[in-house]
Amino acid sequence: MKPLRLQSVNVKVPWAGDRLSKLRGLDKGIGIVREVCAYKNSENKIVNAEYEGMNLRDLISTQYDKLMGDDTSNQMIRAAYIDANEDLSIQVHPYEEYAKNVEGDFGKSESWYVLECDENAKVIAGCNIDDINLLRESTENGSIEKYLEAVPIEVGDFVYIPAGIIHACGKGSLVIEIGSFGGITYRMYDYNRGRELHHDKGFQVLDTSLRASKKSFPIHERKNNIIKKGVKSEEFTVDVIDTIDSQKITKENKYHILTCVLNQCNIIINEEKYPLEYTETLVIPAEIKEYEIEGDCRVLCSYRP
């Protein structure tokens, strides 16, 4: 099986920025761009001619061994851009047991890698009190922000958001969200945008003790070929691969999701080159055991642990 190119799924939202739409020539108002998704009703179509008419879910079901290898799930790690001109809704995602028993779904943990952002940009991750009644009251009267933890972000930062933490991506940022399989979001506060809120379920899964984990990978510190761990969780791992000229990657019998987040590069497999422009993504099937990254670039490599 050759590497897979997927057709992105573009979503209009009220808080959209224009960084990605300008870069890709998208319609105004596109704030979410799903790069890799096999979740129900959001599946990417396969661009490769040999799989014309198929989506990612179809391919997982018909080519499991070649694509998924030693994986034990019928889902794939999800990757999507968030391009925010305004603050996103304050929300929480359910953990695995709750999502399975209450929603018939998967839990959802995620991470954000910052490609671009304004000066003084931030994300929300965690709260500074454990009084659930006060938090509930604050979501109703609009004072919740003073009880939330603001995490400053810069280009090259990686923030891990576990299920159960209250969080929100901040305005003036372009991030790629890489996370686990679930699709359930409980919206706690939405800046009076008129969308449905989900307080009852949200407060059932909210864990006030959780805090975000942030790692920084400054662009100016790139000097050598190096691979560092951006995120490592039970559900997914993301490596930050900095390449100055070229380097070979040897992998196990599992898929890799490669996303170019700095400059551009070529992915070389069996002497065939697959160009990756800035923000583009390529899925490397499990049965491919080695590839080369060529170029002065940074690539995120997402895979199942």
Side-chain angles (χ1 to χ4, degrees):
M1 179 179 285
K2 292 187 176 182
L4 301 176
R5 295 194 185 272
L6 307 180
Q7 181 178 319
S8 63
V9 178
N10 305 326
V11 183
K12 286 193 174 185
V13 290
W15 40 260
D18 62 1
R19 282 182 164 99
L20 201 58
S21 59
K22 287 181 177 178
L23 185 67
R24 292 191 172 183
L26 305 176
D27 293 339
K28 289 184 178 180
I30 300 294
I32 298 174
V33 176
R34 296 190 179 111
E35 294 287 283
V36 180
C37 185
Y39 189 73
K40 56 188 177 184
N41 302 320
S42 301
E43 303 96 332
N44 297 97
K45 292 181 179 179
I46 309 295
V47 174
N48 301 47
E50 60 268 36
Y51 303 118
E52 184 178 359
M54 299 180 70
N55 64 36
L56 187 54
R57 183 190 286 267
D58 298 331
L59 203 60
I60 291 172
S61 64
T62 60
Q63 303 285 339
Y64 193 94
D65 289 343
K66 292 182 178 183
L67 177 57
M68 306 294 281
D70 293 336
D71 207 330
T72 57
S73 173
N74 63 357
Q75 277 289 322
M76 187 173 278
I77 293 170
R78 297 171 64 180
Y81 286 106
I82 298 176
D83 188 353
N85 187 52
E86 301 175 12
D87 292 326
L88 275 66
S89 63
I90 294 165
Q91 55 190 241
V92 63
H93 301 304
Y95 47 88
E96 192 71 24
E97 183 179 1
Y98 185 94
K100 181 180 179 180
N101 293 337
V102 177
E103 303 285 4
D105 206 292
F106 300 97
K108 185 178 182 183
S109 296
E110 60 196 25
S111 61
W112 299 324
Y113 175 84
V114 183
L115 285 82
E116 302 176 14
C117 67
D118 294 345
E119 190 175 358
N120 299 320
K122 63 183 180 180
V123 297
I124 297 296
C127 45
N128 54 32
I129 62 171
D130 57 10
D131 188 331
I132 294 296
N133 291 327
L134 181 55
L135 282 171
R136 181 184 285 269
E137 181 182 325
S138 72
T139 62
E140 296 169 353
N141 63 28
S143 63
I144 190 172
E145 286 184 287
K146 66 182 179 182
Y147 301 120
L148 302 177
E149 294 284 351
V151 179
I153 55 171
E154 295 181 343
V155 173
D157 284 351
F158 227 137
V159 184
Y160 175 59
I161 304 292
I165 192 173
I166 195 166
H167 65 278
C169 195
K171 63 182 178 182
S173 60
L174 172 63
V175 307
I176 185 164
E177 178 182 296
I178 299 170
S180 58
F181 310 144
I184 303 298
T185 296
Y186 299 135
R187 202 177 290 123
M188 311 294 278
Y189 182 71
D190 197 33
Y191 301 96
N192 301 314
R193 293 186 178 112
R195 298 187 292 180
E196 182 183 3
L197 301 179
H198 314 94
H199 288 166
D200 289 342
K201 289 182 177 180
F203 280 109
Q204 288 179 35
V205 301
L206 173 61
D207 185 342
T208 58
S209 69
L210 292 175
R211 296 292 181 270
S213 171
K214 185 179 84 168
K215 294 183 179 180
S216 297
F217 303 91
I219 299 297
H220 68 270
E221 293 184 2
R222 297 175 63 255
K223 293 181 174 61
N224 302 298
N225 291 348
I226 194 167
I227 301 174
K228 294 183 178 180
K229 201 68 65 183
V231 176
K232 185 177 182 180
S233 73
E234 291 183 1
E235 302 99 333
F236 62 96
T237 297
V238 187
D239 291 338
V240 179
I241 304 178
D242 280 325
T243 302
I244 304 305
D245 41 34
S246 68
Q247 61 177 317
K248 289 187 177 180
I249 307 296
T250 302
K251 59 188 275 297
E252 299 176 347
N253 188 35
K254 56 183 67 177
Y255 66 84
H256 279 188
I257 298 171
L258 304 183
T259 305
C260 184
V261 294
L262 178 69
N263 299 334
Q264 59 276 322
C265 65
N266 290 312
I267 306 301
I268 305 175
I269 300 170
N270 296 326
E271 299 184 352
E272 188 170 355
K273 291 188 177 183
Y274 299 86
L276 262 191
E277 298 296 323
Y278 175 55
T279 76
E280 287 186 343
T281 298
L282 192 68
V283 177
I284 308 298
E287 70 171 356
I288 294 174
K289 299 302 187 291
E290 183 180 86
Y291 57 87
E292 182 179 355
I293 301 174
E294 177 188 67
D296 182 8
C297 62
R298 171 172 288 178
V299 170
L300 302 184
C301 176
S302 310
Y303 57 93
R304 294 270 282 156

